[in-house]
Amino acid sequence: MTPRAASVREVLAVTAAVSFSCLVYETAIAASFTSLTGDGVLWQSLTIALYLAAIGAGTWACSRRRAPASWPFLFAIELLLAFSGAAAVLGILSLENAYRFHAHFLLEPGEAPSAAAYAAVVFSAHGWTLLIGFLSGFEIPLLLGLCGKGEEEDDDGLHLVLGANYLGALAGTLAFTLVLLPRLDVVRSSLAAAALNLGVCLYVFFTGLVERSRRRAFLLSAAAAFIAVLGALSGPAERFHLRNFYANPLGLADGLRGLEVSDVLRRLLSSERDVEHIRSSRQAIDILARTRILSPVLAHFDPRVETDPGRPSGMSLYLDRRFQFHGATEALYHEFMAHVPVQLFKRVPRTVLVLGGGDGLLVRELLKYGPAVRRVVNVEYDPRIIALARSDPAFRRLNEGAYDDPRVQVVLDDAFIFARSARERFDAVYIDLPYPTNYDLTRLYSVEFYTNVARLLEDGGTVTLDFPLVPLDDRKPREAYRKNAVLFATLKAAGFRTLVPYGTQNRELVTWARAQRMGFTPSDYDPKLAKLLRRVETERFLRTHPGYRPPPGDDFFVVSNEEAEVETFVTCVKRPTGPDFRFKDYGIALHSLTPQRLFLLRFLRFPYDEAPGLVNSIFRPRLFEPEHLSDFAYQ
C-alpha cells in the first residue's frame, strides 16, 4: 500500500495535538520537581529553561538531517515520545523515592543526605527533561516540511503550522492547570499526554499516511500496553510515594530504620498508616492519621492529649506538602494566635476578619468570647477545605463545629483580592496564610497587601499574622536580621507603628518530680551534683526572666516544647502603643496559653535591622523563607 499525501488540515491538527502534549510534559515535569525540591519557582524555571534548550537542540539536529521530512520519521518520533513521556514523571518520582528512602531509613537519626547525593538525584531526574525536550524539537521542523506536501499546498504553510503550534501550546497549558492536574494528578497527566502522542501514531497508521507493517503494529501495541501498565501502577506508586514522603510524621522512619532494605520496602508497602490524598482544584490536600504515641512533654503543653482520648490528636494536615497543623499541638498555635493579641491590648474584637484558616480552628478560638464577638468573616481560597471542615468528623471534632455558628460568614475568595476590594471595617484581622515560599505567595506578604489590610481596620484594631521569624539565638545572626527585617520593613511601610513579635516556643520551669513523670531521667552525674547543676540552670533562667514565679519546690527542671511545631507571630497596631503582658481572665477555656506563658513572651527577642530598602512589594518581590524551612522541615 502506497502512503497517501496529507492535507494541510491534517498537518495542522497533528501540529496542535503534538504541541498540546509537549506543553503537558513540560508542566508535568516542572510540577514533579516541585515535589522533589520543595522550591516551585527556582526548579520550574530551571526545568522550563532546560526543556526549551533541549527543544532547540532537537530542532538543530532535525535541520542537520539530509533526508526530507516524512510521515514515517514523524511516526517514529511520536512513538518514542509516547514511551518516554509516559515514563518521565514516574521516573522522576522513582528517583525522589530513592532519595527520600535513603534519607528516612538508611541514614542515622538526625543525619541529612549529602549535597552530592541531592545534586545527583536532581540532575539525573533532569535527564527526562532533556530527552523529551530533544524529541519534541523534531516535531515542528518535520511538520513544516510536511505542510508543503499536502494536496492543498499553501504559501502560508509556515504561519499556519506555527499558529496551530501556539494554539496547541495554549490549550495544553490551560488543560494541565484547570483539568488534568486537579483530576488526574501529575503522573496520570503525563500518561494522558503520552496517550495523545500514541493517538497521533494511530491516526497516521490507520489513515494510510505511513505504510502499514507488522513491525509498526507491534510497536503501537507495545506502546499502548506500556501506557496501560504504567496507568495501573500509578495508584500503588502514589501510595508508596506518600508513605515514603511522610515517613517521619507517620512514625514509620523510627520504626523501620536499621532493617534490611527488602523488609523496609515490604512493611512500607503494607503499612496501615496511610495518607488520605485529596486533590482540589486549588491545591493538594493530605490528611495523615498518625498512630504513634505522643510524648508526655506535648501533653504538658496541651493536657487534652491525655484527658480527652476521643479527640483526634493524631491527625495532621498538609497543603501542597506543607505542614498546617497537628491535632496534638494545634492549640498551641491557635490559642497563641487568637488570644495573645487580646491579652496584649485588652480588647475583645466585636468584628473579626480571618484571611485563610479554612480548617475552622482559629475561628473556634475566636468564638470562645461568646456574644462579645458579633461577627466573623472567614475568607478562604479553597472551597474543598471549607467542605472538609464542615463535614469531616475529625475536622468537626477539632473545630467544634465552628462553621455552624450563625455569626460566621465564609467568603470564597483570594485574600489579596478581598483585601483590595472590601469596604467593611473590622476590630481585628487575623492572617493565617501559607508561608511565602514562592513569588506568587509573596504578594500576600507585600506592602500593597498590608496597606489594604490596614485600611480595613477600625481605630485601635489589631492585625495578627503567622510568619517564620528567626529568633535571636540563630546560628547565622546576620541572615536572621535580614530575613526578619524584610517583614518588619514591609509592615512599617504599610503604616503600622507598633509591631509585637512573639512565638509559641516555651521554656519554663517544672519541678524535678514532674519532669521525671514526663520522661526525663536522672543524669549520669552524682545525684547531688546533678541537683546542683539543675539549680544553676534554674538561677540562669530566673535571671533572664525577672519576675517569673516558679511552682512551689526547691528542685526544678527547664522543660521546652521544642517537640511541637514552633510558630511565630506578629501583632501590628497602626498607632504607637505599648503591649501589656499581664494576663486578664476572660472566663474562657484555654489549654496551652497560661498566665505564665504569656508573661514569658515579653522576653522573646527577634532581631531585625531598620532597613526600608528591604520592603517586599508586588513590583519587587522578595523570597524571605528562613533556612530552617527546608524541604524536610515540612515533614
Side-chain angles (χ1 to χ4, degrees):
M1 175 182 175
T2 304
R4 68 176 180 85
S7 68
V8 173
R9 288 184 178 180
E10 286 178 301
V11 175
L12 297 180
V14 169
T15 302
V18 299
S19 177
F20 182 100
S21 294
C22 175
L23 263 294
V24 171
Y25 288 138
E26 179 182 336
T27 48
I29 290 174
S32 64
F33 272 95
T34 301
S35 170
L36 172 59
T37 63
D39 189 336
V41 175
L42 172 63
W43 290 102
Q44 285 196 27
S45 301
L46 179 61
T47 301
I48 292 171
L50 289 174
Y51 197 87
L52 292 176
I55 288 178
T59 302
W60 178 83
C62 186
S63 69
R64 305 295 294 176
R65 291 180 68 253
R66 295 183 179 179
S70 64
W71 285 105
F73 189 63
L74 181 67
F75 176 91
I77 292 295
E78 296 307 307
L79 201 60
L80 286 173
L81 277 170
F83 277 104
S84 56
V89 174
L90 271 176
I92 296 172
L93 192 67
S94 299
L95 288 168
E96 179 186 351
N97 273 327
Y99 175 74
R100 294 189 186 281
F101 185 90
H102 176 258
H104 288 147
F105 302 107
L106 303 182
L107 296 179
E108 293 298 322
E111 183 181 358
S114 67
Y118 180 75
V121 168
V122 171
F123 287 110
S124 297
H126 270 305
W128 293 105
T129 308
L130 297 174
L131 173 62
I132 295 178
F134 183 76
L135 291 173
S136 298
F138 281 81
E139 292 174 329
I140 296 304
L142 288 174
L143 289 164
L144 284 172
L146 292 169
C147 191
K149 295 187 175 183
E151 297 172 353
E152 307 170 17
E153 290 191 9
D154 194 334
D155 293 337
D156 293 330
L158 170 64
H159 306 101
L160 291 173
V161 169
L162 290 180
N165 176 64
Y166 295 142
L167 288 175
L170 174 63
T173 304
L174 294 176
F176 178 82
T177 304
L178 302 177
V179 180
L180 296 178
L181 184 60
R183 298 186 180 184
L184 299 181
D185 72 37
V186 179
V187 174
R188 294 181 183 88
S189 295
S190 66
L191 292 176
L196 185 57
N197 284 126
L198 179 60
V200 170
C201 293
L202 291 170
Y203 179 84
V204 170
F205 181 80
F206 284 107
T207 58
L209 293 175
V210 297
E211 183 180 355
R212 298 184 186 180
S213 66
R214 291 184 177 180
R215 179 172 174 273
R216 287 194 176 104
F218 172 78
L219 290 173
L220 288 172
S221 301
F226 184 69
I227 294 173
V229 169
L230 292 185
L233 291 175
S234 62
E238 181 185 62
R239 289 192 294 273
F240 177 83
H241 174 67
L242 288 171
R243 291 171 187 169
N244 192 10
F245 186 93
Y246 293 114
N248 282 332
L250 286 172
L252 294 170
D254 294 336
L256 301 181
R257 187 181 286 112
L259 300 179
E260 294 293 331
V261 172
S262 58
D263 292 334
V264 177
L265 288 172
R266 185 175 63 255
R267 295 191 186 186
L268 200 60
L269 287 168
S270 61
S271 172
E272 296 180 357
R273 303 180 189 181
D274 215 338
V275 180
E276 183 182 358
H277 180 69
I278 302 169
R279 182 82 219 186
S280 78
S281 59
R282 312 283 185 174
Q283 59 196 339
I285 304 170
D286 294 327
I287 303 174
L288 281 62
R290 187 159 107 180
T291 58
R292 69 178 179 183
I293 299 173
L294 297 166
S295 80
V297 177
L298 295 182
H300 171 73
F301 289 94
D302 186 357
R304 288 176 299 175
V305 174
E306 294 179 345
T307 61
D308 187 359
R311 197 167 183 271
S313 297
M315 172 189 173
S316 53
L317 175 69
Y318 289 73
L319 300 179
D320 284 336
R321 306 289 171 87
R322 305 283 180 174
F323 174 80
Q324 302 302 308
F325 72 80
H326 187 271
T329 58
E330 60 83 14
L332 194 66
Y333 175 94
H334 294 102
E335 286 188 10
F336 273 63
M337 185 176 192
H339 304 297
V340 168
V342 177
Q343 292 288 342
L344 293 179
F345 299 102
K346 302 299 182 286
R347 180 182 181 183
V348 177
R350 294 172 299 175
T351 55
V352 184
L353 172 64
V354 178
L355 300 174
D359 47 47
L361 302 178
L362 183 58
V363 174
R364 173 202 68 196
E365 292 299 319
L366 295 166
L367 294 177
K368 287 181 178 180
Y369 291 102
V373 175
R374 300 175 184 174
R375 174 172 160 81
V376 178
V377 177
N378 192 175
V379 179
E380 171 57 45
Y381 185 62
D382 189 350
R384 193 63 182 273
I385 288 291
I386 297 292
L388 285 170
R390 281 176 164 158
S391 61
D392 184 85
F395 270 90
R396 287 184 60 85
R397 185 73 168 82
L398 286 176
N399 65 35
E400 300 175 7
Y403 288 125
D404 296 337
D405 194 297
R407 292 172 292 170
V408 180
Q409 177 191 357
V410 175
V411 177
L412 296 175
D413 199 356
D414 180 274
F416 188 92
I417 296 174
F418 180 90
R420 184 177 60 190
S421 58
R423 294 294 178 264
E424 184 178 355
R425 293 164 70 91
F426 300 88
D427 293 322
V429 178
Y430 291 88
I431 304 175
D432 189 11
L433 298 171
Y435 288 156
T437 55
N438 58 53
Y439 286 109
D440 180 54
L441 291 174
T442 57
R443 68 194 177 97
L444 299 174
Y445 295 81
S446 65
V447 64
E448 293 83 3
F449 177 66
Y450 291 139
T451 300
N452 284 323
V453 168
R455 181 180 53 81
L456 302 179
L457 278 182
E458 295 281 7
D459 184 45
T462 61
V463 173
T464 303
L465 61 132
D466 171 26
F467 187 82
L469 296 169
V470 184
L472 184 61
D473 58 352
D474 190 80
R475 295 179 182 177
K476 299 179 179 179
R478 182 173 298 178
E479 292 185 12
Y481 271 89
R482 188 183 186 281
K483 291 170 183 176
N484 293 347
V486 174
L487 177 68
F488 287 105
T490 304
L491 288 170
K492 289 189 174 182
F496 294 103
R497 293 294 172 261
T498 297
L499 308 177
V500 186
Y502 63 95
T504 61
Q505 182 173 347
N506 293 110
R507 296 177 72 248
E508 58 191 44
L509 295 178
V510 298
T511 62
W512 176 235
R514 179 171 177 80
Q516 289 179 296
R517 290 196 298 271
M518 293 166 61
F520 295 98
T521 57
S523 64
D524 295 333
Y525 296 112
D526 175 86
K528 292 183 178 179
L529 177 59
K531 184 175 182 179
L532 177 62
L533 292 175
R534 290 196 296 272
R535 182 171 297 174
V536 170
E537 183 66 20
T538 298
E539 290 298 327
R540 181 183 294 116
F541 183 86
L542 292 174
R543 282 198 306 271
T544 55
H545 302 85
Y548 178 80
R549 295 181 180 180
D554 63 351
D555 189 4
F556 301 103
F557 184 79
V558 179
V559 65
S560 172
N561 63 357
E562 291 179 350
E563 293 184 38
E565 289 78 15
V566 176
E567 309 289 346
T568 51
F569 307 96
V570 181
T571 291
C572 320
V573 184
K574 288 195 287 187
R575 63 186 182 188
T577 181
D580 183 355
F581 288 90
R582 293 173 298 177
F583 188 86
K584 180 178 179 180
D585 187 1
Y586 288 95
I588 62 177
L590 296 177
H591 305 280
S592 293
L593 180 62
T594 64
Q596 284 195 333
R597 289 171 189 159
L598 177 68
F599 174 78
L600 289 172
L601 293 183
R602 74 162 67 237
F603 301 102
L604 291 176
R605 296 291 181 267
F606 297 95
Y608 62 94
D609 288 323
E610 296 289 342
L614 293 178
V615 171
N616 177 47
S617 168
I618 59 174
F619 301 106
R620 189 178 181 182
R622 299 180 183 274
L623 280 178
F624 39 170
E625 180 182 5
E627 193 172 285
H628 68 271
L629 291 178
S630 64
D631 189 26
F632 281 90
Y634 289 99
Q635 301 172 40

